[in-house]
Amino acid sequence: MLHIGSIIKQKMIEQNRTVVWLAQQLSCGRANVYKIFDKHSIDTEVLKKLSIILNFDFFKLYSEEIANK
């Protein structure tokens, strides 16, 4: 099972981005970004925004997980 929050954090780090930067992109506070990192699941609208901001299709990960079951 995916831990989407950890994957989002990993992608942010791979792109040498900071929590402050991501919070600004999402128009939220740093505390909310840290809460996202802790989540096992996430609202699809937020995931869509994160996919655009981080230029990575997070939905693809779920599709791959379904295809492998």
Side-chain angles (χ1 to χ4, degrees):
M1 182 166 191
L2 294 175
H3 187 288
I4 194 64
S6 294
I7 298 167
I8 292 165
K9 181 179 181 180
Q10 176 187 358
K11 292 299 174 186
M12 181 197 75
I13 292 168
E14 286 174 7
Q15 296 178 20
N16 296 314
R17 303 293 188 171
T18 65
V19 171
V20 172
W21 176 85
L22 189 54
Q24 289 172 340
Q25 299 302 307
L26 290 169
S27 300
C28 69
R30 290 179 300 159
N32 287 343
V33 173
Y34 287 113
K35 288 178 185 175
I36 289 171
F37 294 161
D38 289 336
K39 291 183 179 280
H40 289 277
S41 63
I42 191 168
D43 178 77
T44 55
E45 193 63 32
V46 175
L47 193 60
K48 182 178 87 172
K49 287 180 186 177
L50 286 163
S51 293
I52 293 166
I53 291 167
L54 294 171
N55 195 32
F56 181 83
D57 184 1
F58 291 103
F59 293 97
K60 179 178 71 169
L61 299 174
Y62 287 103
S63 295
E64 290 171 354
E65 184 179 51
I66 291 168
N68 289 332
K69 292 208 177 209

